[in-house]
Amino acid sequence: MLTDSQYIFESIKEGCLTLSDDEFVIDRLVKYFGNGRIRWHVEFRGHRVELTTGQLKKQPTFRRKILEQAGVLPPQRAGTDYRRWALDLRKNAIELPWRDRPVDVGFAIDRLTSHGDERWTVEYQGKAIKFTTTKLRRQVSFRKRMLAKAKVLPPQLDPAAYRKWMDWLIQNATAADPQAGDALVTEKSWLDDLPELAGW
């Protein structure tokens, strides 16, 4: 089992993308309280990374978590500089009561994967939900399908904000690995999984 520092070192040797101070900008930090625990969710480029207070305080652990879940490595800061930065981040966190499936204005999916031919998979908390490009770009369809398949209702966004967010997701989507069997899914079987969206 690699330590956080060893994992980061190995990832750097393999060519992971390391961001500069200017490039690494967190969208927001949410502090969830309740159930006798405090959970922190770092929202960054469409990802939501859950951390404990201890993990947030330890720079190597924080960098590893972001690298594992967002695919980029935050910049290395001097010890005192990182502690000050992390403290400022926690002071400016948004506080929300904990729910089993927290959903708020910072709703974030884990990954959007393109399968070609206008077929997509949205990954959210361990679930993979299929979409066509048309259904993905329609906010009503997106919200209804996420509620039906993942039991979560994304927030209602201003139409322009939704288009901007979806454009960013599509632009940064992951290409499906043809070895994983996705190439065997036909257009018909893909569309057969979308009947409840008729008329939306």
Side-chain angles (χ1 to χ4, degrees), residues 111-116 119-121 123 169-180 182-183:
R111 180 181 293 124
L112 176 66
T113 303
S114 169
H115 299 272
R119 294 177 298 135
W120 306 85
T121 300
E123 294 177 29
L169 284 177
I170 288 173
Q171 184 181 348
N172 292 280
T174 305
D177 179 2
Q179 303 299 322
D182 292 310

Side-chain angles (χ1 to χ4, degrees), residues 14-145:
E14 291 171 11
C16 73
L17 178 62
T18 304
L19 301 182
S20 67
D21 281 339
D22 292 339
E23 293 171 318
F24 184 67
V25 180
I26 288 174
D27 298 323
R28 71 174 189 165
L29 177 69
V30 182
K31 177 183 180 181
Y32 287 104
F33 58 90
N35 286 345
R37 288 180 63 190
I38 290 177
R39 301 167 180 86
W40 303 88
H41 281 191
V42 172
E43 294 173 8
F44 173 73
R45 294 187 180 181
H47 297 274
R48 184 190 290 249
V49 182
E50 183 173 335
L51 300 159
T52 64
T53 304
Q55 290 171 332
L56 194 53
K57 286 181 176 179
K58 293 176 185 171
Q59 182 169 202
T61 306
F62 174 79
R63 296 178 80 209
R64 176 177 184 165
K65 284 278 195 178
I66 298 293
L67 179 59
E68 286 177 333
Q69 297 187 42
V72 293
L73 183 64
Q76 173 77 43
R77 301 173 188 266
T80 53
D81 188 32
Y82 178 80
R83 283 193 291 275
R84 192 179 308 112
W85 177 83
L87 186 61
D88 287 343
L89 195 63
R90 295 199 306 276
K91 281 181 180 176
N92 293 309
I94 296 168
E95 294 193 12
L96 293 171
W98 175 258
R99 291 169 289 187
D100 287 338
R101 302 181 77 82
V103 179
D104 49 60
V105 292
F107 167 84
I109 67 170
D110 298 323
R111 180 181 293 124
L112 176 66
T113 303
S114 169
H115 299 272
D117 296 326
E118 301 202 349
R119 294 177 298 135
W120 306 85
T121 300
V122 169
E123 294 177 29
Y124 178 79
Q125 295 190 358
K127 295 182 182 293
I129 302 100
K130 297 175 183 176
F131 284 90
T132 61
T133 303
T134 302
K135 302 302 183 187
L136 199 59
R137 289 191 176 277
R138 288 184 188 157
Q139 183 170 197
V140 173
S141 300
F142 177 76
R143 296 180 79 222
K144 182 179 180 183
R145 186 156 179 77

Side-chain angles (χ1 to χ4, degrees), residues 157-171:
L157 298 177
D158 173 80
Y162 181 80
R163 281 194 303 273
K164 184 178 179 182
W165 177 66
M166 192 51 66
D167 285 345
W168 185 91
L169 284 177
I170 288 173
Q171 184 181 348

